[in-house]
Amino acid sequence: LWTKTLQNHPNIPKLPEQKDMFFTDEELHERSFRSEREAEFQRKLRMGERTRTVILKELNRRRRMEQDASVAAANAVRDQINKEREVLKTKLLEEANAAENRRREAKEKSAEEKMQEVIRMAAGNKLEQTLEKYDRKWAKFRLLCKKAKRGTIRFKDIPFPFSCKDAEDIQESDIIVLLKQTLAVDKTKGQSKIKNLFLRWHPDKFTRSYCKYLQSSSDRKAAERYVHKFTQCLNDLR
């Protein structure tokens, strides 16, 4: 009634005629198809969201696994580095100890060599001094023999390089001890001294050259016994 009144009012323009509010089959089909497409789109959108969520979870899981693996690898590398560092440290310590031992041994060897050198020099000097003293006596004895006649030289005039009351004591005489010490530190020098003494005091040579100047046969026999014992001791040292 109100709509008719408004339509009949002279000052209000007339409204257009209303169309039929019912849809045709094609329109209904179109609207139904559009609704289905929208529903399908919404379904796919929801599926996409779920898929995206699953993918993000998987990516996060893999990222955590990779991080854990990286941490584990880093720890393994660190442990390996620490182990190699300990091995290197131990090796360097062993090398340092070995070097210190070599230096100490070299130092001890040097000290021992110096001590041996001192002993060698002391023994050599004492031997040289002893032999020089007997060399001077031997030179006087030879000169005496050249000037003397047969049977004029006494047994005590013979300059033996030892002072012993009996021939059996020659083994412990100073000259033999000095020769032993010299041989212990300088074998070449000791052998040279023994050779010179042996050539001088050779029993046959001494008997032939000097025993004829001794006064008595007992002196000659005693001299021969002493010379023989002395050269025997020299042979034992060779």
Side-chain angles (χ1 to χ4, degrees):
L1 179 59
W2 175 252
T3 303
K4 291 181 179 181
T5 304
L6 290 177
Q7 287 180 356
N8 295 325
H9 196 279
N11 294 329
I12 296 176
K14 291 183 179 182
L15 294 175
E17 295 181 358
Q18 296 292 330
K19 295 184 178 181
D20 190 0
M21 297 299 296
F22 295 99
F23 297 100
T24 62
D25 293 338
E26 294 180 358
E27 289 177 344
L28 290 173
H29 180 72
E30 180 65 24
R31 290 177 64 88
S32 175
F33 179 71
R34 189 179 301 167
S35 298
E36 290 177 359
R37 284 192 302 175
E38 290 179 357
E40 182 68 19
F41 175 76
Q42 292 295 332
R43 186 179 64 81
K44 290 183 178 180
L45 185 61
R46 288 192 297 272
M47 289 180 62
E49 289 294 332
R50 287 196 295 270
T51 304
R52 179 174 176 274
T53 302
V54 172
I55 292 174
L56 288 176
K57 288 182 179 180
E58 181 65 20
L59 290 176
N60 291 332
R61 187 183 67 83
R62 292 186 180 183
R63 189 178 295 111
R64 287 193 298 270
M65 291 177 61
E66 290 175 357
Q67 290 176 354
D68 294 340
S70 299
V71 171
N75 292 334
V77 171
R78 185 172 62 253
D79 294 341
Q80 183 67 22
I81 292 174
N82 292 333
K83 186 182 297 184
E84 293 177 356
R85 187 178 298 162
E86 290 296 327
V87 172
L88 181 60
K89 183 178 179 180
T90 304
K91 185 177 179 181
L92 291 176
L93 185 60
E94 291 177 353
E95 291 178 355
N97 292 335
E100 182 64 25
N101 291 334
R102 287 194 297 269
R103 284 195 296 269
R104 184 171 59 254
E105 291 175 358
K107 188 176 180 180
E108 292 175 355
K109 184 177 180 181
S110 178
E112 184 178 356
E113 289 176 352
K114 289 181 180 178
M115 182 62 67
Q116 291 293 334
E117 182 67 20
V118 172
I119 295 174
R120 180 168 60 250
M121 291 179 64
N125 292 338
K126 192 171 182 179
L127 179 64
E128 292 290 343
Q129 293 172 3
T130 303
L131 291 178
E132 285 178 2
K133 181 177 69 173
Y134 285 115
D135 286 343
R136 289 192 294 269
K137 292 182 179 181
W138 178 259
K140 292 179 181 180
F141 176 72
R142 290 189 62 186
L143 184 60
L144 179 64
C145 290
K146 287 181 180 181
K147 296 180 179 180
K149 296 180 181 180
R150 288 177 178 267
T152 59
I153 296 178
R154 298 170 297 180
F155 176 79
K156 65 179 183 179
D157 294 330
I158 302 174
F160 290 111
F162 48 83
S163 57
C164 297
K165 295 181 179 181
D166 188 84
E168 299 300 325
D169 297 333
I170 296 176
Q171 185 71 31
E172 306 298 329
S173 62
D174 293 341
I175 188 67
I176 299 298
V177 173
L178 289 173
L179 287 172
K180 288 180 179 179
Q181 292 176 355
T182 304
L183 286 171
V185 294
D186 192 343
K187 188 174 182 179
T188 303
K189 184 177 181 179
Q191 291 290 351
S192 176
K193 298 299 181 183
I194 291 173
K195 181 179 179 181
N196 294 335
L197 287 171
F198 189 83
L199 291 175
R200 177 178 293 179
W201 295 97
H202 192 277
D204 295 338
K205 181 180 178 181
F206 184 83
T207 301
R208 184 176 62 254
S209 301
Y210 303 106
C211 281
K212 60 185 178 181
Y213 295 105
L214 297 177
Q215 290 180 350
S216 63
S217 60
S218 60
D219 289 343
R220 286 191 291 272
K221 289 181 180 179
E224 289 174 359
R225 187 171 67 255
Y226 272 74
V227 170
H228 180 75
K229 184 62 178 179
F230 181 62
T231 53
Q232 185 180 355
C233 292
L234 293 177
N235 273 327
D236 293 340
L237 293 177
R238 286 183 171 182

